[in-house]
Every structure is written in structure tokens, then in C-alpha cells.
Amino acid sequence: MTKVIAISFWAALTLILAFIALPLLVVVAASVSPTSAVTFRPWEWTLVWYGGLFEERWVQPFLLSVQIAVIVAAISGALGTLAAFALVHERIPGSSVIMAALLSPLSVPQIVKGVAIVLFLSIIGLQNMLGMPALITAHIVLALPFVMRMAAGALANFDENLDRAAQILGASRRQRMLYVVLPLIKPGVLSGVTFAFIISFNNIPLSVFLVRPGDTTLPIAVINHLEYSLDPVMAAVNVASMIFVLIVILAFEKLGGFSAQLHGGSK
């Protein structure tokens, strides 16, 4: 019976991984198509389409997406960590209600949030904020719950006796925060920051309402290009984006991110 369960588990896991990976493999195959039409010929391939990555129509949106994602990750990381610290570590009154309010953006579809932000800016006469300011603000609202949830999970596993020991030994509040609390919750914080970066970099539903001409992010540039043509250059752009996101994940993991958080500890 145990053997049957084990076989069923691995079979289901293999099917799930195949379901996730096969579409990505199709994109990779399309990016090395030997012709300008998207074809799949494993025995015949070329990397010439990756030269199109350095065209202005792709470089500028990529740099803008990275810039927005870095700002969003930094701000949402700081705000989310502070909010989690106040609600979980300090246990301020009404923390459960505040936590629910801060996590509420997760329950609202992104398209609804995009329309709501555009209407709100129009009503209060701040249409000029559309573009970078609105994109950054909207992405922070979207990413903040993820950062706060990750940081709160790390704080829930934090041994408060270590903080008390540091206090007994004469450490100030600032020193305890910098040298005791933050190093121990770093995996959770970096996990949340990584999620914030990826969510912002890949966002479409919010960005499509808030971009301005000349301030187009990479996902929106891909969507706009897809409306008129499907070619290997676009597939190459998507493959490059996946590789870039993977490098970002590995970089944060190197700093002490995901695996430590999964095990409930720190590196």
C-alpha cells in the first residue's frame, strides 16, 4: 500500500512539473526557430533572434521595469517589515484588524485595482501622476501584503528570549533591532522582497492601466508586440526575462532567502 502511494505521489508530481515546464520549453524552442515564423525543429536552430534583445524597443522597457521593480522592492520591503514588526513583535492593539486591512489587496482582482486607481486619480485631479508615480504606488500596494506576510512568518518563529537576553546585556532598542532581530528574520524579509521584485517586474493587469506613452514596461511592450506579430524575437525576449528573474531569485537566495525561510530558520 505504501509503495502504491509513493508511486502515485511521484506520478502526480511529475505530471504537475510537466504541466508547468512544457509551456516554458515551447517558448525556448520558439526563440531558436530557424525561420522568422515560429516553428519547432529540434535538429535545426539558431540564436540570431537573441540579437534583437538589444534593440531600443526592448532595452528601454526592460530598464524601466527593473527601475520600478527595484524601487517597489525596497519601499515595500521596508514598509512591510516595519508593519510586521509592529503587529507581530510589538503586538499593538487591534493588530488582527490592521493585519486583515493590510492583506486586503490580495482579495481584490488586479484589474479592479487598476481601474480604481485611475478613477481615483482622475477624481482628485492628479492625472499627471499616471506613469512612473502611479505605477510605483500601485505596485507597492500589490506587493506589500506579500512582504508583510513573509516577514510576519519569520517573526512568528523568532525566539524572543534572544531579544530579552540582548536587552539584559545592555543593548539599546536600536542595537537589538539591527544586530538581533533583523539578522534572524532576514530570510523572511528577503523572501518577501524577492516576491515584491518579481511581482512588480512581471505585472500586466495593473500596469496596463497606468503606463503612459514613452513609459512602457517590458510586459506591456511584449503584449503590444503580440497584438501585431508572433515571432522568435518576442520568444527570445520572454526567455531572457525568465533567465533574468531566475538570476534575481538565486541572488536573493545566496543572501539568505528562500530555503532558510522554508525551514523556519535563518542561514
Side-chain angles (χ1 to χ4, degrees):
M1 186 65 180
T2 304
K3 187 176 181 179
V4 172
I5 294 174
I7 294 174
S8 301
F9 170 79
W10 286 110
L13 181 60
T14 302
L15 289 174
I16 292 171
L17 292 176
F19 181 78
I20 294 172
L22 285 177
L24 302 180
L25 295 178
V26 171
V27 176
V28 174
S31 70
V32 295
S33 173
T35 65
S36 58
V38 175
T39 59
F40 180 64
R41 301 178 185 174
W43 59 89
E44 201 176 343
W45 56 275
T46 178
L47 297 176
V48 68
W49 309 113
Y50 284 87
L53 297 176
F54 302 99
E55 297 177 4
E56 185 68 19
R57 60 173 174 163
W58 302 119
V59 173
Q60 191 61 35
F62 171 76
L63 294 177
L64 181 64
S65 293
V66 171
Q67 181 183 357
I68 293 173
V70 169
I71 295 173
V72 169
I75 296 177
S76 60
L79 294 178
T81 302
L82 290 174
F85 184 81
L87 295 175
V88 178
H89 192 268
E90 297 294 328
R91 296 186 180 87
I92 63 174
S95 59
S96 58
V97 176
I98 298 173
M99 177 74 80
L102 291 174
L103 295 177
S104 60
L106 293 176
S107 62
V108 181
Q110 293 187 40
I111 293 179
V112 175
K113 286 198 283 279
V115 173
I117 291 172
V118 171
L119 293 176
F120 176 73
L121 293 176
S122 300
I123 291 172
I124 63 177
L126 292 178
Q127 297 92 333
N128 292 334
M129 281 189 64
L130 291 175
M132 280 281 287
L135 275 172
I136 292 173
T137 303
H139 286 191
I140 290 173
V141 172
L142 178 64
L144 188 61
F146 292 92
V147 178
M148 194 179 66
R149 175 59 72 184
M150 294 288 186
L155 282 166
N157 294 321
F158 173 70
D159 187 356
E160 295 186 3
N161 290 324
L162 299 174
D163 187 43
R164 296 191 188 96
Q167 185 177 8
I168 292 171
L169 293 172
S172 65
R173 186 182 184 86
R174 176 177 171 276
Q175 289 174 324
R176 300 200 314 271
M177 186 69 178
L178 289 177
Y179 301 113
V180 179
V181 179
L182 283 179
L184 291 175
I185 67 170
K186 181 177 69 172
V189 174
L190 290 180
S191 298
V193 169
T194 307
F195 269 94
F197 184 96
I198 295 172
I199 289 168
S200 176
F201 182 80
N202 290 324
N203 185 267
I204 293 177
L206 272 178
S207 301
V208 73
F209 291 98
L210 302 173
V211 295
R212 305 181 76 172
D215 286 339
T216 304
T217 60
L218 184 60
I220 301 301
V222 170
I223 293 295
N224 291 339
H225 184 80
L226 185 60
E227 290 181 0
Y228 301 101
S229 64
L230 176 63
D231 54 37
V233 174
M234 194 191 68
V237 170
N238 283 279
V239 172
S241 297
M242 288 190 293
I243 293 173
F244 173 73
V245 170
L246 180 61
I247 291 172
V248 170
I249 294 173
L250 293 176
F252 277 103
E253 167 60 22
K254 188 68 175 177
L255 291 174
F258 294 135
S259 62
Q261 176 69 2
L262 290 173
H263 294 295
S266 59
K267 287 187 174 181

